[in-house]
Amino acid sequence: MFDEPWTYERNAERGAVTVEAAIAVCSLAVVFGLVLAGVAAVVDQMRCTDAATQAARVLARGAGVPTAEDVVEASAPAGATLTVRRDGDAVVARVSVRPVGGLLPGVVVRAEARAELEPGMDEEVAGEVDGPP
């Protein structure tokens, strides 16, 4: 019975590799998920930047805020919001959204674009956009 003292130690570690492999696979899955969420957040940032630029251009040309909202809805990620303000002879459009459908808590992606008003558009845009004329 005591001829092989190493037999007990060998059997005590049985299954340790399985547990280590399971932990490693779970860790890799979590890291992969975080990488994908980060890439999705960067893509959402680029889409918000494009949407803010397009909205600012549309507003600077004299189109109304509803038209700018339609542009943002078409080019920004789902759930994006548009904030418009007047800054002297320019209009500033800000688009913000929670990336990855809100799966990243506390992360908000924002983009802001500024466009100079076209000549003669001061009066038309002043009534629709917040801020001093």
Side-chain angles (χ1 to χ4, degrees):
M1 180 165 151
F2 293 107
D3 292 340
E4 298 179 22
W6 55 270
T7 305
Y8 175 73
E9 292 176 10
R10 184 173 165 207
N11 290 336
E13 293 184 14
R14 182 174 242 174
V17 174
T18 305
V19 171
E20 291 169 358
I23 291 173
V25 168
C26 290
S27 299
L28 286 175
V30 168
V31 169
F32 185 67
L34 289 174
V35 168
L36 286 179
V39 169
V42 170
V43 170
D44 285 351
Q45 173 68 46
M46 293 184 336
R47 290 180 65 193
C48 284
T49 302
D50 290 343
T53 302
Q54 292 174 6
R57 286 180 183 167
V58 165
L59 289 166
R61 291 182 184 145
V65 174
T67 304
E69 289 174 346
D70 291 341
V71 167
V72 169
E73 185 178 335
S75 59
T81 59
L82 172 67
T83 306
V84 179
R85 67 180 167 85
R86 180 99 182 264
D87 186 18
D89 289 338
V91 64
V92 179
R94 173 184 266 182
V95 177
S96 61
V97 69
R98 294 181 56 90
V100 197
L103 291 177
L104 296 174
V107 178
V108 177
V109 175
R110 291 183 190 94
E112 189 172 282
R114 181 176 198 260
E116 297 294 323
L117 294 172
E118 294 289 327
M121 294 297 146
D122 288 343
E123 297 80 23
E124 292 180 29
V125 177
E128 295 187 32
V129 179
D130 297 334

